[in-house]
Amino acid sequence: MLTTISQVGDHIGKEVKMGAWLFNKRSSGKIQFLQLRDGTGFMQGVVVKQEVSPETWDDAKKLTQESSFYVTGMVREEPRSKSGYELTVTGIQIIQLAEDYPITLKEHGVEFLMDHRHLWIRSPRQQAILSIRNAVIQGMYRFFDERGFYKVDPPILTPTAAEGTTNLFHTQYFDEEAYLSQSGQLYMEAAAMALGKVYSFGPTFRAEKSKTRRHLIEFWMIEPEMAFVEHEENLKVQEEFVSYIVAYVLERCRPELERLQRDVSKLENVVAPFPRITYDDAIELLQKEGHEIKWGEDFGAPHETAIAEKYDKPVFITHYPAEIKAFYMKPDPGNPQVVLCADMIAPEGYGEIIGGSQRIDDLALLEQRCKEHDLDVSAYQWYLDLRKYGTVPHSGFGLGLERTVAWICGTEHVRETIPFPRLLNRLYP
Ligand code: 4AD
Ligand code: MG
C-alpha cells in the first residue's frame, strides 16, 4: 500500500512508499534535497550519498522537475520543515523522467500561465486554492444537509432565460434553439413547490463581454430555494450560510490559507449577523462621497467596493429598484418601486457574491412582469403554472462559487479559483 504525504505523520520512524512528482531539487555535493509533491501536500526527501546505493543516488540525480517516481524512505519528524516531517530516502523507482518543464520557479506572465493552466494547477499556490474550493463545496453540502434541504439538479440546456436575454449562450437543440443555463433558479422554484427546501449546485453560463477580475463565462453557482420563506428569513439563511462556510474553511484549511498569505483575522470576523443597507441609503452615501450615480442606476465595481469598505463583514444591499432587477422579484408591498431583494457584497473589494430575492407568487403580476421584460409568455407556461397550483411565498438566492473562493483565498482574480477558467477570449486549454 502506498502512503501519501498527508498521512506520513502516522508513520514516524517507519519506512513508507509513496508515489510522487519532483517539484524542485537542491543539491549540496553529498546530499540531494528532493521537494516532493503528490497532490495531498508537499514535503522534502533527503538523499544521502553515503547511505544509499549508487543506483539510487544516480536516479535522484537524473530526476528533472515534474518527473514521476515511487520513493521509499524513513519518515522523520522535522520541526524546521513546513510539513513538520522529512523523508530519508532509501530507494527511487523512476516512472518517467519529465521533459523540460515549461513552468520554472521563476516568474511567468499571466497569459503564459493561462496557456499552461493544465500544468499550472500543480503549483503550491494553485493546489492551495483548489483545495479551499473543495472545502467550500464540502461545507456547502454539509450546511444544507444539516438543515434538511434536498439537492436537486436543474437542466443545463434550457428553452428560456432566467437572468435577462442579453448574455445568453445560444445552442442548437435539434430543430429548436436552446440556451445554456444562466441560473437553475426557475427550476428550483418548481422543485421547492415539490420538496420544500432545495438547493442546486452546477455550472452556469453567461456570454458576458466583461473582462474584469470578477467575471467568468462559465461559473458555478449554489442556488437554494425555500417554500414559505420570505425576504427577512432569506437574509438570515444567507448570513448563516456564508459564516458557516468561512468557519469550515478556517477549521480545515489553515496551512493552505497560510501558503496564500491570507490575513485570517479578516475571515475570523465573518460571523452572522451581517450589516444591511438599503439601495436608497447606499445611493445617498455614494453621492455624498462624490460618486456620479443616480437613483435607478445599478452599482458598478467601484461603487460596491466603496460601500463594502465601510464594513468588516459582508454587507447586504437591499430593496433595489424593480427596473434594474430580474422579472421574478417580488415588489415591496410598502413601496412597489423597489423589490424584496438583496445582494451580498464581500469585504475587501471582492464584490457581489450573492444575489437573491423573494419571488413573485401572484400569477397576474408575474404575467405582467414577463410582458414588461419582453419575455415570450408561452415559453414560461410551466413557470407560471407554479402560481396556479398552490402558490406560496418563497425565496432563494445564488452564491457564486468562484467569487466566494477568491474572497476567502484573497486572490486578486477569479481565474485562479476554477480549475479551467472560461474567459472572454479564452477557451484553451
Ligand atoms: O446575481 P445573479 O445573476 O443571480 C442569479 O442568477 C439568481 N437567479 C440567483 C438566485 O436567486 N437563485 O448571480 C448570482 C451570483 C452573483 O452574486 C455572483 O456571485 C455570481 O453569481 N456571478 C458570477 N460569478 C462569476 N462570473 C460571472 N460572470 C458571474 N455572474 C454572476
Ligand atoms: Mg446579481
Side-chain angles (χ1 to χ4, degrees), residues 2 14 25 30 46 51 86 98 101 105 122 142 155 160 259 288 316 319 353 357 369 382 401 404 407 413 419-420:
L2 294 179
K14 296 194 192 110
K25 186 166 70 173
K30 295 187 166 62
V46 184
E51 292 173 10
E86 212 169 64
Y101 190 62
L105 298 170
R122 301 179 183 197
R142 234 179 68 176
T160 47
R259 201 183 303 153
K288 262 192 201 140
F316 287 113
H319 301 86
I353 52 171
S357 67
R369 277 287 203 276
W382 69 270
L401 177 66
T404 305
W407 161 51
H413 199 296
F420 296 98

Side-chain angles (χ1 to χ4, degrees), residues 404-423:
T404 305
V405 173
W407 161 51
I408 293 177
C409 290
T411 58
E412 178 70 15
H413 199 296
V414 286
R415 68 184 160 225
E416 286 184 76
T417 64
I418 183 163
F420 296 98
R422 308 287 89 150
L423 299 162

Side-chain angles (χ1 to χ4, degrees), residues 325 343 352 355:
K325 285 292 183 188
D343 283 355
E352 177 198 325

Side-chain angles (χ1 to χ4, degrees), residues 153-169:
D153 306 312
I156 289 175
L157 290 165
T158 62
T160 47
E163 295 298 322
T165 47
T166 51
N167 60 20
L168 281 171
F169 254 108

Side-chain angles (χ1 to χ4, degrees), residues 65-120:
Q65 190 185 352
E66 289 305 315
S67 288
S68 47
F69 50 100
Y70 295 106
V71 57
T72 30
M74 292 284 282
V75 179
R76 281 190 301 105
E77 272 187 289
E78 178 48 73
R80 281 170 304 174
S81 96
K82 269 221 174 101
S83 69
Y85 306 101
E86 212 169 64
L87 193 73
T88 305
V89 175
T90 52
I92 290 169
Q93 187 187 332
I94 294 171
I95 302 171
Q96 187 195 37
L97 292 176
E99 295 178 27
D100 262 356
Y101 190 62
I103 303 180
T104 57
L105 298 170
K106 66 165 204 221
E107 292 266 313
H108 291 286
V110 170
E111 286 309 311
F112 178 87
L113 290 170
M114 292 295 286
D115 283 340
H116 294 86
R117 182 65 179 165
H118 51 297
L119 304 175
W120 188 23

Side-chain angles (χ1 to χ4, degrees), residues 163 183 185 206 208 216 219 223 352-353 359 397-398 400:
E163 295 298 322
S183 158
Q185 180 196 318
R206 305 215 180 157
E208 282 178 294
L216 290 161
F219 64 97
E223 295 187 89
E352 177 198 325
I353 52 171
R359 323 305 190 184
F397 62 93

